[in-house]
Amino acid sequence: MKNIIIKSLLIGSLLSVNALGYEASQVTVKFLGYKSKAKTGVEGHFDKVKLQIQKNDDFKTFLTSAKVIIDSSSVNTKIKFRDKNINATLFKPDSLKEIIAVIKKVNGDMKKGALDVEIIMNKVSKTISMPYTNSNNTFMAKGTIDVLDFAMNNSYAAFAAKCKPFHAGKSWSDVTISFELPYTK
């Protein structure tokens, strides 16, 4: 009888640990754009990012439930004048007011691997690979997009023209994107 009670307690405690699952309430989205022939990086992030993610006890299922909605007008490079230029040109069309990212597949283990992330911007969907690492309850991924792949030729041309004197005559259409997802279990 004592053995049955101990086994029941052990099974119950294991089930309650798994029932806790992984959960997250915020995500940080950063970018690195490039200027000048030397391809000098310009860092920034978005202040308004909405995370939709479902608590789950399976880490891969938890990640693939994630959907991120970015308000592009919340671009923040720490220089208001630059942010204003980006919003007045690159993100000016209404179709660019929102950027959506969805993790489609996790290729790897708990520590490292690559994600297949679908990015929807300017009504164009493209899936990119984003290598990731995971440590200290923070999931981090980084990849590269080309804004021209999202039918942004006109807004990009306006951006490059406006920024030409500030970019030593050269703007780059490729942008490194990254995110950090702190989570608990």
Side-chain angles (χ1 to χ4, degrees):
M1 183 66 156
K2 185 178 177 183
N3 225 2
I4 292 174
I5 293 172
I6 291 173
K7 285 179 183 177
S8 296
L9 288 173
L10 285 173
I11 290 171
S13 66
L14 286 175
L15 290 175
S16 67
V17 167
N18 286 338
L20 292 175
Y22 298 95
E23 63 183 321
S25 60
Q26 68 180 26
V27 63
T28 302
V29 178
K30 299 177 183 178
F31 62 87
L32 184 64
Y34 303 97
K35 65 180 184 177
S36 79
K37 288 181 183 174
K39 205 169 185 178
T40 305
V42 177
E43 294 180 340
H45 65 274
F46 292 96
D47 290 331
K48 295 180 183 174
V49 179
K50 184 173 152 187
L51 172 66
Q52 298 172 354
I53 192 166
Q54 296 176 356
K55 180 178 176 180
N56 198 296
D57 61 343
D58 178 74
F59 195 70
K60 287 184 178 183
T61 303
F62 165 69
L63 289 175
T64 56
S65 75
K67 179 179 183 180
V68 175
I69 303 166
I70 302 164
D71 178 347
S72 65
S73 68
S74 72
V75 66
N76 185 341
T77 63
K78 297 184 181 175
I79 298 176
K80 299 265 185 226
F81 175 74
R82 180 188 294 148
D83 298 345
K84 203 179 244 189
N85 283 342
I86 292 170
N87 281 316
T89 57
L90 198 60
F91 293 135
K92 185 176 182 177
D94 284 342
S95 58
L96 286 163
K97 296 298 178 202
E98 193 172 80
I99 303 165
I100 298 171
V102 179
I103 298 173
K104 292 298 199 177
K105 188 175 180 185
V106 179
N107 305 299
D109 57 30
M110 281 288 290
K111 293 189 184 234
K112 66 180 181 172
L115 303 174
D116 291 343
V117 179
E118 178 185 28
I119 298 175
I120 304 162
M121 185 165 57
N122 196 31
K123 299 180 183 176
V124 175
S125 171
K126 182 165 174 62
T127 299
I128 66 164
S129 179
M130 295 183 75
Y132 70 82
T133 58
N134 182 26
S135 64
N136 299 322
N137 288 359
T138 301
F139 190 85
M140 297 170 284
K142 184 186 284 190
T144 302
I145 63 167
D146 188 322
V147 296
L148 299 177
D149 289 341
F150 294 90
M152 293 175 61
N153 299 44
N154 293 339
S155 61
Y156 175 75
F159 167 76
K162 183 150 190 122
C163 297
K164 190 174 184 177
F166 309 110
H167 289 189
K170 175 70 176 161
S171 297
W172 298 80
S173 62
D174 56 320
V175 178
T176 301
I177 57 172
S178 63
F179 72 85
E180 292 182 11
L181 178 71
Y183 64 89
T184 57
K185 179 166 178 160

